[in-house]
Amino acid sequence: MSRIFTPKVVTANALLEGDVVYLAEDGAWVRRLDEAELIEDEAIAQLRLIDAQSQPDRVVGPYLAEARASQQGPVPGHFREGFRAAGPSNRNHGKQADLTDV
Amino acid sequence: MYDQTEFDRDFLKTRAAQFRQQVARRIDGSLTEEEFRPLRLMNGLYLQLHAYMLRVAIPYGTLNSDQLRTLAMIAERWDKGYGHMTTRQNIQYNWPKLADVPDILDALAEVGMHAVQTSGNTIRNVTADPYAGAAADEIADPRPVAELVRQWSTDHPEFQFLPRKFKIAVTGAEADRAILKVHDIGLQLVERDGVIGARVLVGGGLGRTPLLGEELRDYVSMDELLPYIEAVLAAYNIAGRRDNKYKARIKITLREEGMEALKEQVEARFAERRGIYPNAVAELERIEKGFAKPVYKDAPTVAHFNALTDRGYAEWAETNLVSHANPDYAIVRVSLKGRGATPGDITADQMRALADLADEIGHGEIRVGQDQNLILPHVHRGDLPALRAALEGIALAEANTGLVTDITACPGMDYCTLATARSIPVAQGLADRLRPIERELGQVTIKISGCINACGHHHLGHIGILGLDRAGVETYQITLGGDPSADTALGERTGPGFAYDEVVPAIERILRAYLALRKAPSETFLQAVRRLGTGPFKEALYEEQKDAA
Ligand code: SF4
C-alpha cells in the first residue's frame, strides 16, 4: 500500500544570509511561507526539489517540508516549520520583524 | 592573561585568510556545499534554523577588556547587537552573513581570538574553572595548563578527524566548577609531595547516553602531561567506533572496552610518546608568567560593609559574591538572567560597559561561566557598591546567581537546527513565575536543553528539563536530583513528560512541594531530594493526573 502524499513546500536556507526561503510557483525564492508554492502532487514535488538542488549558488540544504493549505496560502505542517517561518520567539528581530513590514 | 607569540598571531591570520578564500570560492560557485561544509565547521560556522551561527571560543573562559570590546563591536557591526554565552565558554553570534565571516575572523584575530575547532570531530575549546586565579580554595591556577593543552590541540594533525568531538576541562580546586566528570578528559590539578601534577578523569559526557567520567590516573607530572593525554587521544582515535555516531564518544569506548583495557592501550601509546615534548615545561613556565596575579590594592573595604544595610545590595552580595583568595577582594558574578532575559544573551552596549568597568575596578579581566553568566574575578570590596550601582545602570545587577531564576538554557528551537523543542521561552516563563519566591527557595538550579544533545546540561540540573518532539508536539521530560558540583550527579527521570503550556506549573508544583517538605529553610532543594528520594516530589508533580484519574 502506497503512502498518501501530504502537501509540501520546498524550503532551504539562502546561501548568503542563511535566511529561510521557499520556492514559489514561478521558480523564485521567497522569504514568506504564504507565498510559497504548495505542492500536492508527489512527482511534482520531487521535480521541484531537484530544481532546488540544482541551485547551490543560491540556497543550502533544500528539502520538502510539510505544509497545509489556508486562505492565506501555505501554513506550517509542524511546529519546527512554524518557527522557521516566523523567526525566534524570544526576540522580535528575526523574520517576524521583516514580515510585519510587508 | 596569556601573552600571544608571533607564532600564535601568524597562525590566526593565516587561518582567517584561508577561510576568506574558501568563502569566496563557495560564493563564486567553485566549491559545493558538500565541499565547503567541513571547511566552515572547522572555523566554527554553523548553518542554523534562521541564519548562520558563528561559535567563537573563549579559551578557559578568560577574556580581557579589549577582547570583550571586540566581541561587542562584532555584535554591533556584523550581527544584531548581541551575543549568546554558551555552557562551554563560547560566545555564539546568531546572525552573521556568510560574506562577513572572514572580516569577523580578522577582527577576532586582532585580539588573539578565533573560532577554530569550535565544531567538528576535533578537540574542542578547552574549558576551565571560571574563578581560576581568584578562588580562595584553589591549589593552582588551571589556565596555564589549559593554555598548554589549547596550543597542543590546535591544528594537531593527528586529531582533526577523531571518531567524534572531544572535550577537555581543567580545574585547580577541589570544588569542581568546570564539571570535569562530564568531559571526555577532565584534568584536576593536585599536589603530590609539594609538586603540582594532574589527576586525569576520562569518559564523561552528557547527550543521549549520560555517563560520569572515571579516574584513569591519579597523578601525572607536568612534564608528562601532554604525552599522556596525547596517548589517551591516540588510543581513542584507534579504538573509538566510527560505525555509529551515538557510540563514538570515548565514554562509550571506555564502557565497551573496560577501564583496564583502555588503560593498557593508553599506557602502550604513552610508552611510545613519552618525552616527545621536551619543551613543554619551559613553555608552561612562559605561559604562567602571563597569568601572574594582579597587583592587588591595599584600601579600606568599609564601603562594602556600610552598603550591606541596603536590602537590595545585601541580597546581591549574598548571592552574587564569592570568596576571593584575597580577603579584601571578591569574585563578582554578573547575572545574564535578568528579567525577561534570554539566558546567556548580552548586548553590545552591556559588553562595552562591562569592559570599561573591568578596566576601572576589575583589573581588566572578565570570565565566562558554564552557567552562562559572566564574572568579574578580582574586585576590591571597597569598590563593590560603585560596581553594583554601575551594573544596575546596564541591567546586569540581578541578584539571582545560584537561585531558581538563574536558569541555564540552550538556544533550543528558537535558533538551533537540531532542536526538538524550545528552551528559551520555558526558561523565561519559569523565571517569571518563580521570581516572587526565589529567595524563599534558596539554591535551586534548573537546566534546560532543547534536545537530547544536552547543551543545556539538563541532566545536571537539580531540576532538569529536556524538550522533545512527541508526535509533532513539544513535550518536556523532567529529571530530579542532578548536580553540577564536585559531587556530580545525573538527574533521575520523573515519568511522563508535559506539554509546553504545562511545564511551568509542573515545575512550580515540585518547588511548592519542596517548601512544604523541607526540614528547615537551611535544607536546600537538592538536600531534600537526597534525604527524601524523588517519590514525594513526583507525587506533587503528577498530582493533577492522579486527581483526574
Ligand atoms: S541541546 Fe539540542 S537544541 Fe539545545 S543547543 Fe544543543 S543541539 Fe541545539
Side-chain angles (χ1 to χ4, degrees):
Chain A
M1 207 178 77
S2 65
R3 274 175 310 114
I4 297 168
F5 181 77
T6 50
K8 304 278 190 299
V9 293
V10 176
T11 182
N13 289 79
L15 171 66
L16 294 178
E17 303 87 9
D19 278 9
V20 174
V21 289
Y22 304 94
L23 199 58
E25 214 169 325
D26 63 0
W29 288 101
V30 293
R31 256 68 182 165
R32 298 178 61 128
L33 174 57
D34 55 11
E35 292 172 0
E37 177 189 14
L38 187 72
I39 312 167
E40 310 204 44
D41 179 284
E42 186 161 14
I44 294 176
Q46 289 305 328
L47 286 173
R48 292 280 194 276
L49 182 61
I50 290 167
D51 177 29
Q53 285 164 339
S54 71
Q55 302 179 47
D57 53 332
R58 304 179 69 183
V59 295
V60 182
Y63 65 95
L64 295 170
E66 293 286 338
R68 287 194 309 269
S70 84
Q71 297 272 324
Q72 287 74 41
V75 292
H78 183 278
F79 64 86
R80 183 176 192 271
E81 290 305 324
F83 293 123
R84 286 184 78 241
S89 60
N90 66 321
R91 288 176 183 271
N92 190 36
H93 67 192
K95 183 167 268 203
Q96 70 279 56
D98 303 335
L99 293 185
T100 50
D101 295 342
V102 179
Chain B
M1 288 294 292
Y2 171 62
D3 288 327
Q4 278 213 308
T5 62
E6 219 31 61
F7 178 87
D8 295 310
R9 278 186 282 271
D10 285 350
F11 171 73
L12 292 185
K13 274 195 196 135
T14 309
R15 273 297 284 258
Q18 283 168 351
F19 193 57
R20 184 176 292 282
Q21 289 175 6
Q22 290 158 357
V23 168
R25 288 163 63 212
R26 175 68 183 99
I27 291 174
D28 76 14
S30 2
L31 285 180
T32 64
E33 184 61 20
E34 289 65 41
E35 289 162 336
F36 179 63
R37 190 170 177 273
L39 301 172
R40 69 168 159 79
L41 290 177
M42 276 166 76
N43 291 286
L45 187 63
Y46 291 72
L47 184 54
Q48 292 285 58
L49 223 45
H50 313 289
Y52 287 97
M53 180 272 279
L54 184 68
R55 180 181 293 159
V56 176
I58 301 174
Y60 32 91
T62 295
L63 286 168
N64 64 31
S65 52
D66 284 342
Q67 290 173 324
L68 189 54
R69 280 188 201 96
T70 295
L71 296 180
M73 183 274 283
I74 291 169
E76 211 150 58
R77 186 152 171 204
W78 291 298
D79 208 89
K80 296 201 179 193
Y82 69 102
H84 172 78
M85 300 295 171
T86 77
T87 55
R88 286 209 80 253
Q89 298 180 322
N90 299 297
I91 182 170
Q92 295 184 170
Y93 292 106
N94 288 328
W95 304 96
K97 305 259 186 287
L98 179 58
D100 291 336
V101 175
D103 290 339
I104 300 176
L105 295 185
D106 278 346
L108 288 168
E110 288 289 318
V111 290
M113 297 184 75
H114 59 80
V116 175
Q117 289 177 212
T118 57
S119 174
N121 294 335
T122 59
I123 302 170
R124 300 289 186 89
N125 182 35
V126 181
T127 56
D129 182 347
Y131 303 164
D137 60 352
E138 187 169 274
I139 294 163
D141 187 336
R143 290 172 302 165
V145 170
E147 170 57 26
L148 188 72
V149 173
R150 187 196 68 78
Q151 290 182 17
W152 159 81
S153 62
T154 301
D155 228 17
H156 193 306
E158 192 179 342
F159 306 133
Q160 293 304 303
F161 296 96
L162 292 167
R164 200 77 178 86
K165 58 188 164 185
F166 202 95
K167 301 175 182 175
I168 301 179
V170 195
T171 69
E174 276 284 328
D176 179 4
R177 289 173 290 259
I179 346 177
L180 293 189
K181 284 192 187 146
V182 299
H183 283 79
D184 296 281
I185 287 183
L187 300 174
Q188 181 192 356
L189 302 186
V190 291
E191 201 174 319
R192 180 177 281 184
D193 303 325
V195 183
I196 299 291
R199 175 177 175 239
V200 181
L201 305 175
V202 71
L206 296 175
R208 186 175 296 262
T209 316
L211 290 161
L212 297 182
E214 297 173 30
E215 187 178 279
L216 185 64
R217 265 273 200 121
D218 62 350
Y219 185 89
V220 179
S221 62
M222 281 305 158
D223 59 327
E224 302 210 302
L225 185 64
L226 289 186
Y228 188 75
I229 56 177
E230 185 162 311
V232 178
L233 264 298
Y236 164 61
N237 209 7
I238 295 166
R241 287 179 58 171
R242 290 171 190 265
D243 61 326
N244 179 343
K245 80 171 189 175
Y246 302 121
K247 296 190 171 171
R249 296 284 292 269
I250 196 173
K251 62 186 176 186
I252 305 294
T253 318
L254 167 64
R255 274 68 189 196
E256 286 188 348
E257 306 259 322
M259 182 55 104
E260 280 320 302
L262 183 67
K263 261 186 194 165
E264 240 171 65
Q265 294 168 36
V266 170
E267 291 301 328
R269 302 280 84 80
F270 182 46
E272 296 159 6
R273 289 166 196 248
R274 241 181 169 142
I276 57 169
Y277 296 115
N279 300 324
V281 170
E283 176 59 10
L284 185 62
E285 283 165 5
R286 183 189 76 81
I287 296 168
E288 273 166 354
K289 289 198 188 101
F291 290 103
K293 298 253 183 277
V295 182
Y296 296 127
K297 69 177 180 184
D298 195 6
T301 56
V302 63
H304 164 64
F305 295 100
N306 288 342
L308 287 171
T309 53
D310 174 80
R311 180 149 165 238
Y313 182 85
E315 286 187 347
W316 177 77
E318 187 191 352
T319 47
N320 293 39
L321 300 184
V322 177
S323 303
H324 192 281
N326 179 330
D328 286 351
Y329 273 69
I331 297 169
V332 178
R333 299 166 78 184
V334 177
S335 173
L336 299 185
K337 321 289 176 68
R339 279 146 220 260
T342 293
D345 277 13
I346 179 167
T347 67
D349 287 341
Q350 288 172 322
M351 288 188 231
R352 217 172 279 118
L354 198 63
D356 291 346
L357 284 170
D359 276 341
E360 283 158 32
I361 45 182
H363 296 272
E365 272 194 51
I366 305 95
R367 305 289 175 76
V368 184
Q370 284 77 349
D371 59 1
Q372 299 176 296
N373 289 316
L374 295 183
I375 292 128
L376 293 174
H378 311 288
V379 181
H380 189 270
R381 285 183 182 268
D383 293 328
L384 288 170
L387 173 66
R388 176 169 175 270
L391 289 174
E392 266 189 322
I394 52 171
L396 288 180
E398 189 75 13
N400 72 340
T401 53
L403 299 183
V404 74
T405 55
D406 178 6
I407 298 171
T408 303
C410 77
M413 202 173 273
D414 286 302
Y415 297 90
C416 179
T417 192
L418 300 173
T420 41
R422 284 171 294 171
S423 309
I424 294 167
V426 175
Q428 291 170 326
L430 279 168
D432 287 346
R433 176 74 76 103
L434 299 170
R435 193 166 288 111
I437 53 169
E438 65 178 345
R439 292 260 146 200
E440 197 183 349
L441 288 168
Q443 302 285 311
V444 188
T445 299
I446 299 180
K447 293 182 185 287
I448 312 176
S449 304
C451 81
I452 194 75
N453 288 323
C455 304
H457 294 173
H458 63 277
H459 304 101
L460 300 176
H462 301 165
I463 298 175
I465 303 174
L466 165 62
L468 295 168
D469 174 352
R470 288 279 184 253
V473 178
E474 285 176 293
T475 304
Y476 295 86
Q477 247 175 31
I478 296 172
T479 49
L480 290 177
D483 184 357
S485 78
D487 298 326
T488 321
L490 302 169
E492 181 190 309
R493 249 183 76 184
T494 54
F498 293 84
Y500 177 75
D501 54 1
E502 294 168 351
V503 66
V504 170
I507 301 295
E508 188 180 10
R509 286 199 293 281
I510 296 174
L511 290 165
R512 295 255 174 223
Y514 154 66
L515 290 177
L517 290 163
R518 68 184 179 188
K519 276 198 294 200
S522 60
E523 185 181 45
T524 65
F525 175 77
L526 191 58
Q527 286 165 345
V529 171
R530 286 189 176 153
R531 176 174 61 86
L532 297 162
T534 54
F537 299 96
K538 283 196 224 172
E539 215 165 279
L541 179 61
Y542 294 107
E543 73 189 359
E544 284 188 353
Q545 271 103 322
K546 215 173 55 196
D547 292 349

